[in-house]
Amino acid sequence: MKIATWNVNSLRVRLPQVLDWLARASPDVLCLQETKVTDDAFPRAALEAVGYTTTYRGQPAYNGVATLARTAAADVLPALDGVDAAHKRFLALTVAGVRVVNVYVPNGESVESEKYKYKLDWLRALTAYLHAELERFPRLVLVGDFNIAPEARDVHDPARWEGKVLFSEPERAAFGALLDAGLVDAFRRVEQPQKSFTWWDYRLNGFARNWGLRIDHILCSLALAATCRGVHIDVEPRRNERPSDHAPVVAEFDAG
């Protein structure tokens, strides 16, 4: 079972790139973030035409999550308790016996802002949810844009980023709390190339210089981690004309 996550930074703009990537990578499940499209405008027909069922929650211009799957989804949970449901950042469902939780964690803006406090509150609500959900679903995967680089090796210049949003100690502690709930960072279960990142700022020629951060993650339950065949970052879509600033992350698991 191949599960992928990709912040596409506007599905309306990047639908052709998503369709091309689906044809090339052929995931069983693809979780998208920052779709930035209302539900009535979601390109459901185009995605179903290439073999994917679609479940989505969107809003204009901001946020938005969608999960595409080759088989039907069940037990859909469209919002996370304890946070503002008007912000479309969360979508959980079950595909082929695996609970797939798709998240777009708030950015936080800056460590001095109210948005940063909201981000930490949102992460606490997510952690509380996962403690209960893992009891219901031993085979669970949490994927998405977390807007957190958990370790120094996940940042191109840790000294420059230390204490700033995306790489502050409270954010890293919140990421650790997700792991403590019973999850594993699938990417770090195997040897990976140094300076492996998933996001590069559009400014300052960040991608060409590999000035990036690893902020898109696939965390999985212990039961699912035991079946993980490998995880990789596919940087090719970042080379596209008018690309998203994020690259897809792909994990493969043995079928249950």
Side-chain angles (χ1 to χ4, degrees), residues 9 12 34-38 59-63:
N9 195 9
R12 190 187 302 275
E34 272 202 284
T35 54
K36 298 182 179 179
V37 62
T38 56
Q59 61 189 94
Y62 299 98
N63 305 327

Side-chain angles (χ1 to χ4, degrees), residues 78-99:
L80 178 63
D81 286 343
V83 296
D84 185 358
H87 295 274
K88 313 304 184 186
R89 296 181 171 277
F90 174 95
L91 182 61
L93 47 77
T94 302
V95 178
V98 175
R99 190 64 169 167

Side-chain angles (χ1 to χ4, degrees), residues 3 21 30 32 70 76 83 86 99 108 149 168 170 180 183 218 244:
I3 299 175
W21 191 81
L30 172 60
L32 303 175
R70 288 198 178 276
V76 175
V83 296
R99 190 64 169 167
S168 68
D180 290 342
L183 296 173
I218 296 178
S244 169

Side-chain angles (χ1 to χ4, degrees), residues 27-111:
D28 298 292
V29 178
L30 172 60
C31 295
L32 303 175
Q33 302 86 40
E34 272 202 284
T35 54
K36 298 182 179 179
V37 62
T38 56
D39 288 352
D40 62 326
F42 190 85
R44 179 175 180 174
L47 294 163
E48 290 184 347
V50 296
Y52 288 88
T53 65
T54 58
T55 310
Y56 45 87
R57 298 181 67 240
Q59 61 189 94
Y62 299 98
N63 305 327
V65 287
T67 300
L68 321 179
R70 288 198 178 276
T71 56
D75 197 14
V76 175
L77 180 65
L80 178 63
D81 286 343
V83 296
D84 185 358
H87 295 274
K88 313 304 184 186
R89 296 181 171 277
F90 174 95
L91 182 61
L93 47 77
T94 302
V95 178
V98 175
R99 190 64 169 167
V100 180
V101 183
N102 179 3
V103 297
Y104 174 45
V105 175
N107 175 278
E109 190 175 82
S110 72
V111 295

